[in-house]
Amino acid sequence: MEQEPKAFPALPRGMAYSRHRVLITDDPAQWRRVVRSFFREGLALGEPCLCLYSLVSRQSVCCFLEAVGVDAAAAQAQGALSFLSADQVFNQDGVFSPSTCLGALVKAGRSAVPHWGEPVRVVADMNWAADSRLNHLRLLVYEDLINRRLLPHFPVNLLCYYDRALFPPSFLDQVVARHRSQVPLQKPIGAGAVLSPPLNRGGKHLPGLAVL
């Protein structure tokens, strides 16, 4: 079994908090360890968890949560764990609008999480945006809006995931600058089932992505 990273720091229950962190890696095992620790801790604290999935399927997320003792089916039945397609949330009729997508995120959170307004954990797989037709500068505007318009009003613990192999390094540097902290990468440890996300092989674009 793979070793888990150190727990994410938690504030006392009932205290409003907002966080905006980013994980940038091309190692699916790193993503798996961080996300399952993030969600497992949230579920243990009674915090609703929302996963906006993209590269890694909903079924795969459930499988690696169950591998560390989380009953994903029960958590979903209780409304403690919810899933939405990141492409459906962010891709509004084939057009990416930062302000519209911020509203879509809030709407999605309110519909998927039973007690929106209480502390909630959200993993947003941002790899839906790995398409050269998308103006990445507009994605940075969206990240800015998260900081200015969402976090001051909602107690959201938000973790964004970008695959390093799918975005230009200069763009990822700007992404890091717009997050309050970056999740540190660990050296490979242990072994486990490999979850190989589809990369942008052969210069082909990922299908069904938002365009301008």
Side-chain angles (χ1 to χ4, degrees):
M1 180 178 294
E2 296 178 16
Q3 179 181 341
E4 294 297 321
K6 293 182 179 180
F8 287 80
L11 296 182
R13 293 288 296 144
M15 179 182 292
Y17 67 100
S18 294
R19 297 180 187 152
H20 191 199
R21 287 175 287 182
V22 64
L23 172 67
I24 298 176
T25 180
D26 55 6
D27 180 0
Q30 292 278 1
W31 185 88
R32 182 170 66 247
R33 286 195 294 268
V34 169
V35 171
R36 73 187 184 190
S37 178
F38 183 69
F39 277 157
R40 185 170 65 172
E41 181 177 86
L43 292 170
L45 292 171
E47 298 176 356
C49 297
L50 172 61
C51 181
L52 304 180
Y53 62 90
S54 180
L55 280 186
V56 181
S57 70
R58 171 178 179 166
Q59 292 78 10
S60 293
V61 174
C62 289
C63 284
F64 68 65
L65 285 174
E66 290 167 355
V68 291
V70 174
D71 189 336
Q76 290 177 83
Q78 297 164 4
L81 177 63
S82 303
F83 291 87
L84 289 171
S85 166
D87 187 55
Q88 292 179 3
V89 172
F90 294 110
N91 188 349
Q92 302 293 304
D93 298 322
V95 177
F96 175 68
S97 164
S99 58
T100 300
C101 289
L102 179 64
L105 176 61
V106 173
K107 182 178 179 180
R110 283 175 169 160
S111 63
V113 178
H115 303 294
W116 186 258
E118 295 183 3
V120 58
R121 296 193 179 211
V122 179
V123 168
D125 186 340
M126 302 303 293
N127 296 296
W128 60 270
D131 191 308
S132 62
R133 296 171 294 168
L134 176 66
N135 185 335
H136 288 160
L137 293 179
R138 299 190 72 183
L139 193 59
L140 296 176
V141 171
Y142 166 80
E143 294 284 14
D144 283 331
L145 289 177
I146 289 290
N147 292 327
R148 293 190 290 106
R149 293 176 54 185
L150 178 67
L151 299 186
H153 305 290
F154 295 97
V156 177
N157 192 345
L158 176 61
L159 175 62
C160 299
Y161 164 50
Y162 289 83
D163 191 303
R164 189 182 303 277
L166 300 179
F167 297 93
S170 59
F171 168 73
L172 292 177
D173 288 341
Q174 295 182 73
V175 166
V176 170
R178 283 161 173 80
H179 289 76
R180 296 183 176 179
S181 63
Q182 182 175 5
V183 177
L185 299 182
Q186 297 182 320
K187 295 181 180 179
I189 48 178
V194 176
L195 298 177
S196 299
L199 299 182
N200 203 12
R201 296 186 181 91
K204 296 180 181 179
H205 299 308
L206 298 176
L209 300 178
V211 296
L212 295 178

